[in-house]
Amino acid sequence: QVQLVESGGDLVQAGGSLRLSCAASGSIFSISVMGWYRQAPGKQRELVARITKGNSTNYVDSVKGRFTISRDNVKNTVYLQMNGLKPEDTAVYYCNALITQYSGGATRAYWGQGTQVTVSS
């Protein structure tokens, strides 16, 4: 069994900062890509940032220069450092990971439970 547990969501004022964490646990052989998605009320879920095993990163245009994604491959944890937060960043943030549980096994996508980020104006 694989689980992704998120933490770090909070209520902050515009211009503030938060760091989200997501730790994968259970039977894990390898993790290729890890990322963060978000979903605001009435909107579709969107990819915010992703990071590969080799630390290649991608960001949605709206967060470039403000957010930084990173990962710790020893702890199987992905982070999202969010600076200069804006009200439009308000959403539930979900972590995602592509995980292979054993050598030669299937690669599956796993999701965290979501953590609420609210930015007041």
Side-chain angles (χ1 to χ4, degrees):
Q1 300 291 330
V2 174
Q3 290 183 308
L4 302 182
V5 179
E6 303 178 29
S7 63
D10 207 347
L11 170 63
V12 298
Q13 293 184 334
S17 298
L18 286 173
R19 189 172 86 148
L20 306 183
S21 299
C22 176
S25 63
S27 181
I28 298 172
F29 175 73
S30 65
I31 303 175
S32 58
V33 180
M34 304 185 83
W36 290 93
Y37 290 72
R38 67 185 180 187
Q39 187 164 25
K43 296 184 178 180
Q44 296 183 15
R45 185 174 298 187
E46 68 172 349
L47 175 66
V48 178
R50 66 188 291 276
I51 183 167
T52 69
K53 183 75 171 182
N55 287 324
S56 177
T57 60
N58 296 99
Y59 300 90
V60 66
D61 286 344
S62 61
V63 309
K64 288 181 179 177
R66 299 188 297 120
F67 291 9
T68 302
I69 189 170
S70 61
R71 63 190 286 172
D72 184 330
N73 292 327
V74 175
K75 296 181 178 180
N76 287 332
T77 299
V78 62
Y79 306 93
L80 187 67
Q81 179 66 47
M82 304 185 293
N83 299 325
L85 284 163
K86 303 176 180 179
E88 50 263 45
D89 295 318
T90 295
V92 177
Y93 285 70
Y94 300 90
C95 66
N96 171 268
L98 297 180
I99 296 174
T100 303
Q101 289 194 272
Y102 55 92
S103 181
T107 299
R108 297 179 58 189
Y110 293 86
W111 292 89
Q113 81 281 7
T115 185
Q116 177 70 50
V117 172
T118 302
V119 185
S120 63
S121 60

